[in-house]
Every structure is written in structure tokens, then in C-alpha cells.
Amino acid sequence: MKKIFIKTFGCQMNEYDTNRIYDTVRNIGYIKTNDHLNADCYLLNTCHIRDKSKEKVFDEIGRVRKNYKNKKKPIVIVAGCVAQAESGEMVKREPYIDIIIGPQSYHKINRIIENFNFKNKRELTEFDTEEKFNYLDKIRNNDSNVSSFLTIQEGCDKFCNFCVVPYTRGPEFSRPFEKIIKEAESLIKNGAKELTLLGQNVNAYLYKDGDKIYKLSNLILELDKITELKRIRYTTSHPRDMTEDLIKCYSSSKKLMPFVHLPIQSGSDKILKLMNRNHKVEKYLEIHRMIKEINNDVEFSSDFIIGYPGEMDSDFNDTMELVKNIKFINSYSFIFSPRPGTPASRLKPIDKEIAKERLINIQELLEDYQIKKNQSLIGKSIEVLVENKLRNQDKYFGRNAFLNSVIFEGAKKYIGKLVDIKISKTNRNTLFGKIDEKKNMRAA
Ligand code: SAM
Ligand code: SF4
Ligand code: F3S
């Protein structure tokens, strides 16, 4: 067998794709290795969402070239969103790269690797999403993690003015309902207890079969029936597609986690308009109200872009007010990064120092809510899905309902189980504790 090493950047969809690439190349005799210094094929699965993503790829390739200086050259593949966006320029600038393959062409990877010779560089960047999933549906998903990802939808038709995703992942495509359920059943057979349904616009999922229409809510309620499955999550969603049927799942589904990651980007209507988000802050507040009304346990998290062109102090203050109003937990905030080819990249940027200061302010506020939420759990027993044992430590790792990491003293028998952990201390991102033996008689 030959060995393939994949280094993955970016979002969960890239992680899912990486696993599917491992599954695929197994059919042509390549097995996964974690040893980046001894691979026959070295693949970089790249992300283009922010900053100097292209430069990072070139730096990475430079390191690979050095590491393999006195060894047989591996086949070097650049995949993912940078590959899609920058294909032509990359091979010209870095001849050490052998193959460029965009995210919607992975179904062709076996043929390309098998027929590859070092004199014949290849670039594949067509958008063949349907063909890709038809192909992948025939290859068993070998993921055996307690918590597994499952891509149900790809691409984006929304074209927010700052975002590169519609150009790198192509138009929206929803996988057939029954194929998703089949893959879910197979993952559950492999040991998955939690599934995170993935899509760049996951709540825009829409699959038509004759006169039947399937939405994300239908998928959630169907998965809800599978006894062995304990938890359901989905990410990332858009406020415009947060429909009533989906909102109702927060009371009708027993397994949907009470945690909504719903990016708003800004708390100012003016900025939302400039971003082409096509909704107002009020719409977001209404979703929040509706969900809290049917299930008050639900917590929200968001992504924020700070320093978007045109953002004034008053717009930023509106964003801070929104954070205070919703009390988001587990959120992400980034300084606006102009992405080549997007409409926002042509706008006049705001002062860098002002943007940095605003980022610090919002991160402090977000952190404050996060820490308060975590501290409120000290001394309490919370339900955790145990995922694995930590390497080199006699401790275990799992997550609570709100996706916080929990590290605790436990035992192997609890892996894959929902257990109660008594929390003794916390920091911003992690909760620490030990098994609450009294409460866990049912899990053992
Ligand atoms: N589809 C999701 C939505 O509409 O909210 C977002 C997906 S995007 C992969 C993840 C996050 O990256 C976005 O929510 C946004 O906050 C951030 N992002 C995207 N483009 C960006 C840019 N040009 N500069 C800074 N952050 C950006
Ligand atoms: Fe990007 Fe999300 Fe907007 Fe689509 S909806 S363009 S993925 S930010
Ligand atoms: Fe990055 Fe592409 Fe995901 S740009 S965030 S890897 S969709």
C-alpha cells in the first residue's frame, strides 16, 4: 500500500472532504498516514476565507519541498478553496505542485492520481457537485468517530459582498434525502452517536423528489427516530432560511441540540445592507424570540465581521448592543479581509487601527458572556457525550450540549455514552470535572 498524508485547513466541510478523500483513494491502494515526512502523496486541503491564504499554501509547499529534499518526491496535490480560486497561478509560481483539484472535482481524484506522471501537471476545477456526490455515495464512509460530520448541502447562491464561498464552492446543491439517511445509518453503525449536518447554507437544504419536498426539518425529524443516535447538530445556517418548520424542531426533536450557530455578521442594518445579507437585525431578533419561546434552554452563537468598509462607531455600537441583548456564547469575530474578486474588495477599507480596537472590544464582551456562562456551571452536573481519551493523559474528552469542550477523569467504558460530569473549574473554552458516579449508573 502507498501512503497519503492530508493537511486540512478551514471549515468542517473541508474536514468532511478530507475524510471522504481518504475513503476514495483507498480504492487505488493509498492508506492514510499521520507521518507527514514519509508520504507518497501529500495533499493540502486549503481554505480561502480570510487573510493571506494563498501565501500560506506557498509557505507550506516550501516546507514540504525542504522535508523531502533527499527523499523521493511525493505527488503534491493542492485541493480545497484556494485551489479552486487560484488554480492557474499556483502551478506557474510553484512547480513543486503537481495537481490542483477544486472541491467539486474530488470524484476524479483516483483517476488523476493513477494516471499521473511528473511531467504532466493537472488542474481540475469544474463545478460537478452532483456527479461528485453520486460517486461518493458509492464509496463507504469509514469515519468511526463518536461525533461525525455529514455534508448534506454544498455551495452558496447568496453572494454576500465579502465572501469567496460562492466562487470556490459553486452554486447551491442539496444531496438526495435518502442518500443522506443511508450515509447517516452507516456512520451510526460505525459508532457515531452525534451527527453534525453540514452545508455552507445548511438550512437552505431543499430536495425535491417528484412532488415531495424535503427540508432540513424533515431530515432532523427522520434522524430523530434512530434510537442509537443521541445528538443532532447542523451548521452553518443563514438567518433568511431560518423557517418556522426548522424553528419548531427545537421543541419537537428530542435530539436536536439546544444550540444555534446563526451568524449575523453585524448588528447594524446599514452594514447588513452593504454586505448584501438581505435581512435586517429585527429578523434575527424575531428568530431569537421565537426559538426562546418554544425552548428557553437554547443558546445562540454567531460570527461577526468587524471593520467592514463603511462601518462607523455607531454601526459598531449597534453590534455591541446586539451582543448584549442576545448574550451570545461560543462566537467568532474577525476583522474584514478583502477577498480577491468579491464586490467588497473594491470598497475603501476603514482604518486598520480602528478595526483592531473594535475587534478587541467585541472579543472582550463575547469572552465575558462565555466566561459567565461557563462559571455558572461550576458545581453542577452536565450531560456530556464522551468522544475519546486524551493522548498521553489519563483524562477523557467530550462536549456538552453547547459544544464546549469538557475534560474529565473518567473511564474507557464511557466512550460513546452520554454521561453526567460534575464541573469543578472552567476557563474560556473548556470545562473540567469528573464523572458524577451517582448519576451515571444508567450510562455504565
Ligand atoms: N454561510 C455562513 C453565513 O452566511 O453566515 C458563513 C460561512 S463562512 C465559511 C464563515 C464565516 O467567515 C462567516 O460567517 C464570516 O463571519 C467569515 N468571513 C467570510 N468572509 C470573510 C471576509 N472576507 N473577511 C472576514 N471574515 C469573513
Ligand atoms: Fe458566504 Fe455564507 Fe454569505 Fe454564502 S451566505 S456568501 S457562504 S457568508
Ligand atoms: Fe474555507 Fe472554503 Fe470552508 S473558503 S471556510 S474551506 S468553504
Side-chain angles (χ1 to χ4, degrees), residues 36-37 42 58-74 76 94 96:
H36 69 110
L37 298 175
Y42 194 110
F58 287 123
D59 290 351
E60 194 64 39
I61 300 288
R63 278 192 286 274
V64 181
R65 181 209 294 274
K66 240 191 215 161
N67 288 336
Y68 283 84
K69 201 172 161 198
N70 299 315
K71 296 179 184 170
K72 183 170 172 256
K73 180 187 181 315
V76 174
E94 179 46 279
Y96 202 69

Side-chain angles (χ1 to χ4, degrees), residues 11 49-51 156 158 160 162-165 199-202 236-239 261-265 277 302-306 308 332-339 342 344:
C11 63
I49 203 80
R50 275 179 298 276
D51 298 331
C156 181
K158 296 213 166 52
C160 300
F162 53 81
C163 184
V164 80
V165 170
Q200 271 89 17
N201 255 289
V202 73
T236 297
S237 37
H238 192 291
H261 179 63
L262 187 63
I264 184 163
Q265 316 297 353
R277 291 289 286 180
S302 177
D303 295 344
F304 299 95
I305 294 182
I306 304 303
Y308 191 75
Y332 300 92
S333 44
F334 319 94
I335 288 192
F336 166 68
S337 163
R339 302 286 73 209
T342 59

